[in-house]
Amino acid sequence: MQLSISFFSNIKEIKSDLITLFVFSNKHLFENQINKIKKFLSNNIDRVLRLEKFNGEFESSCFIYTDKNFKSPIIQLIGLGDQKNINNETFRKASAIAALNANKFKLNHISIIFPELIKGLTPKHIAKAIFEGVVLSQYKFDKFLSPNQRKTRLKKLTLIYDSLKQREELNEAKLESKIICDGIFLARDLTNMPASELYPKIFANYAKKSAKEYNYKAQIWNKEKIKKIGLNGLIAVSSGSKHPPRFIILKYDGEKSHKSNIVLIGKGITFDSGGLSLKSADNMAEMKMDMSGAAVVLATIQSVARMKIPVNLIGLIPICENMPSGSALKPGDIIKHYGGKTSEVANTDAEGRLILADALAYAHKFKPELVIDIATLTGAVISALGHHVTAILGNDQEYIKKIKQAGEQTYERVWELPLYDEYKKQIKSEVADVKNIGTRGAGVITAALFLKNFISDKNGKEYKWIHLDIAGTAIINEGSYYIQSGASGVGVRLLTEFFKTNYS
Ligand code: BES
Ligand code: MN
Ligand code: ZN
């Protein structure tokens, strides 16, 4: 979609298919706003408002057809609700509604009049929310639909402003939103792609392509190299599949004095059948999305590189397929991971932690200031938090706080669960350093505690670490606003915002 900003003081001169105006529901404000447009319209707007019972409530909208003096045929009013409850998420949602309305009319070009400023929000905040809301609402994974079954999408969005002071901020918002939305679309596409189309080698090709296009590095290890280095969890989990694994190392050097490295690790299971501990048929198809974390790492590094944020990022992506077969990993097996720690495989369906273990252990090599892993790790997180919040666990409260703030800003919210030592005995093994499943209860925590074994070096010193379990938030069955059903791309905005606010 083409994004543009345009200066206009007269609504009649705006040329598009549909002009959008945001309206507050507070009685006084509502009347003021309506009066402002009334003077332009010859037809009786009061009759339309009464007929459509429009009062500016959040989620409501109303259409006014203009006369020949206007260059745009329709004005839509979009309700924002009570001014005191408004934040940037209100604008994301209201803008998505505006765009979805335009889709109903099969329109190409929507213009949105930049709203009045809200306390606590800069013009840039508001503009970003509007761009994101519109662009993200237009995503649909329809590559495999016949052309006539595909949804019509908006081709152009123009944000109209009437104060030249806002120009710079609106333009920055436009450029950033474009980059972020491209990243999210990449993550959503990779996640939605069926496992027959997206296996480790293909994912690695996407990584290579992105790195080349946006000037960062991608190194791809094949199975032989993975074996030689000793990422044995990755070798073990991949052993039942005809698709060999890959280990992808991404490097973006944005901070030239190289003060510190931040490592991002993403779970890349291109299909999780459960392996020999086979999943039931019910929701197995969903498991094509088990590489969401990997997609987020790739899309985030791509976005940070394009925004040229001065930070040094390393992305580690262990990626493979978890399949049952004669050569598959077996319950009872013991894996010696990179770095030397061992794990007992009690259940081959708890495979994510087995490949993450190697990557976490390998991360020490970069002497990281911080390591963040992101993974569709447990069904248990859905029981705990449902589909609206990502679980966050870690060993550093300051970084957790910063990620939480980025979560509020982007509305990709996170909620902390504890890593108390008492839970450790649930994953104690008699035959290895740790067991890959826990006794009943607290599945999100025991999974994270499994990972925690691999964040300390030979002397027992841990690096700063954050774990994000996105099993509940990466895929949305019932879409709404700017996240339609399927992959959400959750994590891309969260992490990019974290880097943007704390490192630029
Ligand atoms: N990929 C799944 C987790 C998952 C479940 C993601 C539902 C998205 C939706 C993971 O590999 C898995 O199978 N976890 C098991 C762990 C169990 C065997 C300890 C689970 O959560 O059931
Ligand atoms: Mn599994
Ligand atoms: Zn999995």
Side-chain angles (χ1 to χ4, degrees):
M1 190 189 316
Q2 190 194 333
L3 303 181
S4 68
I5 60 171
S6 229
F7 178 80
F8 265 115
S9 50
N10 186 339
I11 193 170
K12 289 186 184 173
E13 296 302 318
I14 299 169
K15 200 169 171 241
S16 69
D17 298 327
L18 176 67
I19 296 175
T20 301
L21 255 168
F22 293 119
V23 182
F24 301 111
S25 66
N26 314 58
K27 206 165 173 350
H28 186 65
L29 279 169
F30 180 78
E31 277 161 15
N32 267 348
Q33 289 179 297
I34 298 299
N35 284 336
K36 264 194 214 158
I37 50 171
K38 245 186 208 170
K39 61 174 190 262
F40 290 106
L41 292 163
S42 52
N43 59 355
N44 190 344
I45 180 171
D46 289 324
R47 278 167 63 195
V48 180
L49 294 180
R50 228 175 300 130
L51 187 71
E52 304 207 10
K53 297 193 176 57
F54 181 78
N55 56 9
E57 291 276 308
F58 178 59
E59 284 192 295
S60 64
S61 46
C62 167
F63 300 93
I64 299 157
Y65 295 85
T66 60
D67 58 34
K68 63 176 190 315
N69 297 317
F70 279 76
K71 295 198 168 141
S72 295
I74 319 173
I75 297 175
Q76 68 169 335
L77 306 178
I78 297 281
L80 290 176
D82 191 330
Q83 195 187 29
K84 74 172 189 297
N85 299 331
I86 284 164
N87 54 33
N88 51 11
E89 179 66 2
T90 318
F91 283 112
R92 265 182 225 114
K93 287 180 173 154
S95 305
I97 293 171
L100 295 166
N101 281 346
N103 294 148
K104 284 183 209 145
F105 292 106
K106 297 199 180 354
L107 304 177
N108 289 322
H109 179 194
I110 179 178
S111 56
I112 295 185
I113 299 193
F114 192 73
E116 279 175 52
L117 286 177
I118 308 285
K119 242 170 108 188
L121 294 178
T122 62
K124 187 170 169 184
H125 281 140
I126 299 176
K128 257 185 108 169
I130 294 173
F131 283 125
E132 285 172 7
V134 170
V135 176
L136 296 178
S137 77
Q138 299 298 293
Y139 179 86
K140 177 128 186 1
F141 184 67
D142 58 8
K143 290 183 185 34
F144 293 88
L145 285 174
S146 304
N148 63 352
Q149 298 297 311
R150 290 179 201 163
K151 162 179 155 173
T152 21
R153 292 194 173 97
L154 275 171
K155 297 198 173 60
K156 186 173 177 186
L157 162 63
T158 308
L159 189 58
I160 311 283
Y161 60 101
D162 63 1
S163 154
L164 281 168
K165 276 190 295 191
Q166 294 170 346
R167 184 185 188 88
E168 194 49 39
E169 282 193 53
L170 266 49
N171 198 45
E172 276 172 25
K174 183 188 87 172
L175 298 173
E176 277 175 33
S177 303
K178 168 88 177 93
I179 290 170
I180 296 272
C181 292
D182 283 351
I184 292 170
F185 280 21
L186 171 65
R188 287 182 181 177
D189 275 348
L190 291 169
T191 304
N192 283 326
M193 250 144 87
S196 59
E197 299 282 325
L198 187 93
Y199 39 92
K201 185 178 152 189
I202 305 293
F203 188 101
N205 289 345
Y206 276 92
K208 269 193 261 183
K209 184 165 165 266
S210 165
K212 195 160 174 227
E213 197 167 346
Y214 299 115
N215 255 316
Y216 63 96
K217 285 183 222 131
Q219 203 184 330
I220 317 287
W221 294 0
N222 63 13
K223 183 174 162 186
E224 287 62 48
K225 174 89 183 189
I226 294 167
K227 231 183 197 155
K228 194 169 146 226
I229 302 293
L231 307 183
N232 296 324
L234 182 55
I235 291 292
V237 173
S238 68
S239 61
S241 168
K242 76 174 174 47
H243 295 298
R246 291 287 185 272
F247 187 68
I248 303 169
I249 304 178
L250 308 173
K251 272 196 193 131
Y252 163 67
D253 292 326
E255 195 272 309
K256 301 297 175 202
S257 66
H258 281 268
K259 271 186 241 131
S260 62
N261 286 324
I262 295 181
V263 177
L264 300 179
I265 299 177
K267 170 177 172 183
I269 296 289
T270 54
F271 187 72
D272 181 11
S273 70
L276 286 175
S277 313
L278 196 65
K279 285 185 184 295
S280 72
D282 309 343
N283 296 313
M284 202 196 277
E286 226 182 56
M287 288 303 135
K288 66 174 187 177
M289 52 62 91
D290 212 18
M291 33 52 67
S292 303
V296 171
V297 168
L298 174 58
T300 300
I301 293 182
Q302 172 181 295
S303 305
V304 171
R306 288 180 70 186
M307 286 161 78
K308 300 195 165 58
I309 300 174
V311 60
N312 295 323
L313 297 185
I314 288 147
L316 300 180
I317 301 177
I319 188 156
C320 71
E321 207 179 49
N322 184 23
M323 295 294 281
S325 89
S327 59
L329 174 68
K330 293 174 281 290
D333 284 356
I334 296 174
I335 301 170
K336 186 164 187 177
H337 292 276
Y338 183 87
K341 288 206 175 116
T342 58
S343 71
E344 175 190 357
V345 181
N347 186 317
T348 64
D349 196 12
E351 83 298 338
R353 62 198 79 181
L354 299 176
I355 66 169
L356 291 172
D358 293 318
L360 287 162
Y362 191 73
H364 287 288
K365 206 175 129 31
F366 303 97
K367 304 207 174 353
E369 157 62 22
L370 169 69
V371 176
I372 303 175
D373 79 73
I374 180 158
T376 48
L377 202 63
T378 66
V381 78
I382 305 174
S383 309
L385 299 171
H387 298 283
H388 301 293
V389 187
T390 294
I392 184 169
L393 303 95
N395 62 3
D396 188 88
Q397 280 307 315
E398 253 166 71
Y399 278 120
I400 289 178
K401 195 169 145 207
K402 286 179 175 167
I403 297 276
K404 277 186 184 159
Q405 282 162 349
E408 295 303 321
Q409 193 58 243
T410 54
Y411 218 63
E412 293 195 339
R413 293 166 299 176
V414 299
W415 199 263
E416 190 182 1
L417 292 176
L419 278 173
Y420 298 138
D421 281 344
E422 283 79 358
Y423 293 100
K424 274 188 191 161
K425 62 173 183 290
Q426 287 183 239
I427 50 169
K428 204 177 148 18
S429 165
E430 296 293 328
V431 293
D433 294 332
V434 64
K435 188 153 75 180
N436 84 328
I437 58 167
T439 53
R440 221 181 128 74
V444 186
I445 295 168
T446 54
L449 280 171
F450 177 96
L451 299 179
K452 198 167 181 290
N453 281 283
F454 300 89
I455 68 170
S456 45
D457 61 17
K458 294 231 154 59
N459 308 316
K461 192 172 177 316
E462 293 183 348
Y463 49 61
K464 291 176 187 170
W465 164 68
I466 280 178
H467 163 62
L468 298 166
D469 192 336
I470 53 169
T473 45
I475 285 272
I476 298 299
N477 291 326
E478 227 177 290
S480 57
Y481 308 109
Y482 58 92
I483 304 177
Q484 298 301 310
S485 66
S488 65
V490 74
V492 179
R493 285 190 303 121
L494 175 74
L495 294 177
T496 309
E497 174 73 23
F498 166 73
F499 291 121
K500 176 91 192 148
T501 42
N502 294 291
Y503 297 89
S504 52

